[in-house]
């Protein structure tokens, strides 16, 4: 019996499977196009939220499609001026299949969802282009160059809605894929950035978030100049400001090495009234400007990699924290108030700063005395998560401070029992903490309520892992250390040691529920199978680069760094 093909096959399919979604309907109308445009628009909005690619990749993907298809290929003459990313006018069959149907072998070749649906048909395109919320995310990579047509089109299509902007001035690792005619990889120039910033700054009142990554401070300086111009209006809707400067000298220098770029700018006319999240990584500003001196809506503050000469004074630092009564997360890595703790006390004798809602604290790359000084100044009664990352010195005194009575605004009354910061923690991450084995015992003895522990064993004493499977000799601590621990995350460990920890805690009646290993850990296949059989959850995660500032993990379920590894 021969295979039926062509019109006869379609007719047979319609009879046998009249509602088969893979058989095109008869007539000129597609059923989905009978939906009201308003409903189709909502569907597109949901699709953009659920089906978008990874945010870190979307800027490069969008730029790639714009560069490859946006100028040369046109969907039709009517829309030739506003194609954002790609069209199918001159595409080959292979190109069209991968772009229009998503059948590419590599998922990261897919265009963003809103680009995809806007190229399905004329009706969908009309609906997509008239849905401003699809076009409010503007991501610009170092691959793009003036006149930035794609950015202009997104600014127009987004109407008057709030914008989320990310600018990455760092050249990607595969620079060889982006070369000029003479074989050189062109760097972004100051002129290129000025053109881009001029486009965006006209819409500052619409900014909801802005993130800028640079490899050279000259690029960041150009951005700071642009947003500090007297003509720039207040950023009335800006909730997130994240400025990241990555340069190797940051960890080594004791003073800012570029005197010509030392200026501390006042941003957005000194007004960001809705600011909730602020990250300044190797970027200094005028620390006394009004939106920093009074930040009542601030929830998340990250300061990192500031040499002492560009840090805020104690008075400026204290003013920011005292005004941030809602602050939930504070991260200070090689940054914080300038000077030494003795100077802070001299400047402000009653210098205890209450942070009643702070739940997450990150401290990294400070000296022991500086860290102890900070802890003496901060009253954090709601603290739940602590991250520590230190090296090169002995932090025994810091462990003693953490295990001792916590800082309070007022001395405890006679009937109140003093508590330590460690004794109220539910989550602890230690990426580096040089100290003796006795200090590890002191630390663990105060961590009875701890539920989640993250250890980077490449930089820690073996005692941090050994004690987890050792009997506890202290009264009222049960038969094993950290009796409430149920989530363990480890990097830099051997599979047999991890298996021992899991088995002995299970034998002691306090089994781990979840275990996460950094993917480079040496674990045999047999160990993997055993761990899967003896834990509710077992998985691998991809670790951060050593040179990156420590990642804040709010919880295993919510942490972005945890991902499945095939």
């Amino acid at each position: 019996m021969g295979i039926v093909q062509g019109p006869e096959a379609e007719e047979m399919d319609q009879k046998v499977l009249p509602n088969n979604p893979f058989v095109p309907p008869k007539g000129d109308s597609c059923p989905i196009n009978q939906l009201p445009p308003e409903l189709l628009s909502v569907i597109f909005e949901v699709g953009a939220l659920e089906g978008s690619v990874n945010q870190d990749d979307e800027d490069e993907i969008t730029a790639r499609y714009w560069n490859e298809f946006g100028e040369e290929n046109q969907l039709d003459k009517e829309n030739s001026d506003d194609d954002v990313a790609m069209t199918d006018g001159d595409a080959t069959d292979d190109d069209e299949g991968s772009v229009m149907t998503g059948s590419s072998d590599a998922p990261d070749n897919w265009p963003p969802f809103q680009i995809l649906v806007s190229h399905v048909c004329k009706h969908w395109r009309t609906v997509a282009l008239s849905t401003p919320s699809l076009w409010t995310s503007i991501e610009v990579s170092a691959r793009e160059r003036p006149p930035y047509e794609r950015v202009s089109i997104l600014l127009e299509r987004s109407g008057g809605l709030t914008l989320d902007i990310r600018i990455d001035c760092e050249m990607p690792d595969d620079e060889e894929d982006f070369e000029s005619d003479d074989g050189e990889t062109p760097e972004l120039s100051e002129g290129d950035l000025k053109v881009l910033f001029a486009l965006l700054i006209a819409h500052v009142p619409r900014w909801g978030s802005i993130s800028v990554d640079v490899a050279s401070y000259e690029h960041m300086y150009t951005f700071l100049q642009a947003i500090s111009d007297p003509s720039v209006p207040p950023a009335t809707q800006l909730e997130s400001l994240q400025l990241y400067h990555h340069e190797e000298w940051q960890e080594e220098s004791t003073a800012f090495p570029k005197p010509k770029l030392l200026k501390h700018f006042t941003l957005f006319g000194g007004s960001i009234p809705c600011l909730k999240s602020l990250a300044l990584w190797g970027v200094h500003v005028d620390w006394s400007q009004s939106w920093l001196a009074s930040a009542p809506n601030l929830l998340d503050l990250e300061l990192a990699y500031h040499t002492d000469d560009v840090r805020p004074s104690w008075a400026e630092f204290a003013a920011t924290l005292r005004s941030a009564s809602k602050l939930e997360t504070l991260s200070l890595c090689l940054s914080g108030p300038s000077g030494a703790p003795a100077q802070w006390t001299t400047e402000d004798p009653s210098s205890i700063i209450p942070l009643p809602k702070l739940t997450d604290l990150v401290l990294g790359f400070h000296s022991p005395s500086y860290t102890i000084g900070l802890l003496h100044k901060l009253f954090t009664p709601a603290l739940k998560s602590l991250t520590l990352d230190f090296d090169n010195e002995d932090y025994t005194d810091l462990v003693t401070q953490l295990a001792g009575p916590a800082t309070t605004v007022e001395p405890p009354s006679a009937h109140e029992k003093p508590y330590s910061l460690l004794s109220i923690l539910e989550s602890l991450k230690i990426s580096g903490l040089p100290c003796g084995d006795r200090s590890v015992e002191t630390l663990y003895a105060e961590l009875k309520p701890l539920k989640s522990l993250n250890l980077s064993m490449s930089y820690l004493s073996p005692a941090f892992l050994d004690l987890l499977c050792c009997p506890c000799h202290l009264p009222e601590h049960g038969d094993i250390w950290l009796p409430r621990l149920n989530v363990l995350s480890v990097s830099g460990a051997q599979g047999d040691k991890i298996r021992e920890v899991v088995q002995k805690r299970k034998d002691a009646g306090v089994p781990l529920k979840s275990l996460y290993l950094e993917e480079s850990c040496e674990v045999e296949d047999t160990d993997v199978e055993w761990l899967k059989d003896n834990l509710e959850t077992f998985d691998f995660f991809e670790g951060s680069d050593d040179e990156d500032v420590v990642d804040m993990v709010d919880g295993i379920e919510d942490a972005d760094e945890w991902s499945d590894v095939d």
Side-chain angles (χ1 to χ4, degrees):
M1 181 177 178
I3 299 175
V4 180
Q5 296 180 339
E8 294 182 10
E10 293 183 10
E11 184 177 353
M12 181 179 296
D13 286 338
Q14 288 288 1
K15 290 179 179 179
V16 178
L17 298 171
N19 297 317
N20 188 347
F22 299 102
V23 177
K26 293 295 184 180
D28 299 329
S29 175
C30 184
I32 195 171
N33 289 341
Q34 297 174 14
L35 293 175
E38 296 82 3
L39 184 54
L40 187 58
S41 176
V42 172
I43 293 173
F44 288 169
E45 289 177 326
V46 174
L49 290 174
E50 299 296 330
S52 61
V53 296
N54 185 286
Q55 287 292 316
D56 292 338
D57 300 331
E58 184 169 346
D59 53 346
E60 291 188 20
I61 295 170
T62 305
R64 186 186 311 130
Y65 277 97
W66 171 253
N67 292 332
E68 292 180 2
F69 302 103
E71 295 180 358
E72 298 177 4
N73 305 322
Q74 298 180 351
L75 197 65
D76 52 47
K77 292 183 179 180
E78 177 182 349
N79 295 316
S80 62
D81 293 334
D82 64 356
D83 280 346
V84 170
M86 48 69 63
T87 62
D88 61 350
D90 297 324
T92 66
D93 291 340
D94 290 340
D95 290 334
E96 185 173 337
S98 62
V99 170
M100 303 307 294
T101 69
S103 62
S104 168
D105 291 335
D108 62 358
N109 287 330
W110 297 353
F113 179 84
Q114 54 268 48
I115 301 297
L116 192 64
V117 298
S118 69
H119 288 77
V120 170
C121 64
K122 186 173 183 179
H123 176 58
W124 281 33
R125 183 173 180 79
T126 300
V127 173
L129 298 190
S130 60
T131 305
S133 59
L134 295 179
W135 313 103
T136 56
S137 179
I138 300 177
E139 310 234 359
V140 187
S141 75
R143 296 176 179 271
E144 297 187 69
R145 292 294 185 273
Y148 295 106
E149 299 101 322
R150 185 179 65 85
V151 176
S152 297
I153 292 167
L154 289 171
L155 290 170
E156 180 181 354
R157 289 185 182 178
S158 58
L161 298 184
T162 303
L163 299 170
D164 296 310
I165 303 168
R166 181 186 175 193
I167 303 169
D168 189 351
C169 298
E170 297 188 72
M171 294 302 297
D173 294 334
D174 56 341
E175 290 183 4
E176 64 272 10
D177 294 338
F178 182 59
E179 296 181 348
S180 58
D181 294 338
D182 59 5
E184 297 294 327
T185 302
E187 294 288 340
L188 273 170
S189 69
E190 182 178 341
D192 294 337
L193 291 177
K194 286 182 176 179
V195 173
L196 173 62
F197 298 152
L199 283 174
L200 296 173
I201 286 175
H203 300 267
V204 160
R206 295 171 56 200
W207 290 10
S209 67
I210 177 76
S211 175
V212 181
D213 289 78
V214 302
S216 105
Y217 202 80
E218 284 75 6
H219 287 163
M220 184 60 71
Y221 194 83
T222 301
F223 176 74
L224 296 174
Q225 277 185 314
I227 60 175
S228 65
D229 189 275
S231 64
V232 175
T236 53
Q237 297 190 65
L238 189 63
E239 294 187 354
S240 176
L241 175 63
Q242 299 180 318
L243 307 180
Y244 300 105
H245 166 225
H246 311 269
E247 232 170 329
E248 292 182 1
W249 55 261
Q250 293 180 98
E251 296 186 46
E252 306 296 333
S253 298
T254 56
F256 190 73
K258 299 183 178 183
K260 293 183 179 179
L261 308 180
L262 197 57
K263 183 175 180 179
H264 290 60
F265 289 96
T266 298
L267 313 182
F268 306 107
S271 180
I272 315 178
C274 298
L275 190 66
K276 293 182 179 180
S277 178
L278 174 64
L280 298 175
W281 190 337
V283 178
H284 53 272
V285 297
D286 176 2
W287 302 106
S288 64
Q289 56 191 299
S290 58
W291 59 269
L292 268 175
S294 178
N297 296 309
L298 196 63
L299 302 177
D300 185 353
L301 175 62
E302 178 182 10
L303 302 179
Y305 293 128
H306 291 109
T307 54
D308 193 69
D309 56 331
V310 297
R311 294 182 183 182
S313 67
W314 169 256
E316 292 166 334
F317 178 79
T320 297
L321 291 191
R322 287 193 174 110
S323 70
S325 58
K326 299 178 182 178
L327 194 68
E328 297 175 354
T329 301
L330 176 63
S331 178
L332 301 173
C333 296
L334 203 64
S335 184
S338 62
Q343 296 174 277
W344 310 339
T345 301
T346 302
E347 293 177 21
D348 187 1
S350 57
S351 56
I352 303 300
I353 301 175
L355 297 172
K357 295 190 176 182
L358 192 78
T359 57
D360 299 271
L361 178 62
V362 180
L363 298 173
F365 314 121
H366 298 298
S367 69
S369 60
Y370 188 97
T371 309
I372 292 171
L374 276 173
L375 293 174
H376 275 306
K377 303 296 183 182
L378 303 180
F379 174 49
T380 57
L383 194 67
K384 297 298 181 186
S385 177
L386 177 64
T387 299
L388 303 173
D389 192 357
F390 303 109
D391 55 11
N392 298 332
E393 296 187 58
D394 183 358
Y395 285 81
T396 298
D397 290 344
L398 174 60
V399 173
T400 302
Q401 166 67 23
L402 288 169
T407 299
T408 57
V409 176
E410 297 180 357
S413 61
H415 65 275
E416 289 180 326
K417 184 180 179 180
Y419 67 90
S420 69
L421 278 183
L422 296 176
S423 68
I424 61 175
L425 293 181
E426 295 180 359
S427 175
L428 176 64
K429 179 176 181 178
I430 306 179
S431 297
L433 186 64
C435 61
D437 291 354
R438 183 60 60 87
S439 291
V440 182
E441 291 188 2
T442 300
L443 191 77
Y444 280 8
E446 287 293 316
L447 290 171
K448 285 179 61 178
L450 196 74
K451 298 177 181 178
S452 175
L453 180 63
N454 187 320
L455 300 173
S456 298
M457 293 308 301
S458 298
Y459 309 101
L460 295 174
S461 163
F464 280 93
L465 200 55
D466 291 341
L467 281 181
L468 295 182
C469 55
C470 289
C472 180
H473 55 78
L474 299 176
E476 300 181 0
H477 280 68
D479 297 328
I480 202 163
W481 298 90
L482 310 186
R484 298 185 187 176
L485 185 68
N486 54 49
V487 178
L488 177 63
S489 311
V490 183
S491 62
Q494 301 278 339
D496 55 350
K497 184 63 182 180
I498 295 297
R499 185 166 170 170
E500 179 188 0
V501 170
V502 172
Q503 182 64 65
K504 289 194 174 181
R505 294 189 70 85
K506 185 177 181 178
D507 294 341
V510 287
L512 292 173
K513 293 182 179 179
S514 301
L515 174 66
Y516 299 88
L517 296 182
E518 201 271 329
E519 59 184 3
S520 64
C521 288
E522 297 181 15
V523 185
E524 300 292 336
D525 291 343
T526 53
D527 291 331
V528 170
E529 293 304 316
W530 185 90
L531 291 170
K532 287 181 178 180
D533 291 339
N534 286 271
L535 293 159
E536 292 182 12
T537 305
F538 172 73
D539 213 337
F540 289 95
F541 67 92
E542 182 178 356
S544 302
D545 294 336
D546 289 343
E547 63 270 15
D548 285 349
V549 72
V550 60
D551 289 328
M552 186 66 232
V553 178
D554 296 325
I556 298 301
E557 292 81 8
D558 298 326
D560 290 337
E561 69 173 320
W562 304 100
S563 59
D564 292 342
V565 177
D566 293 335

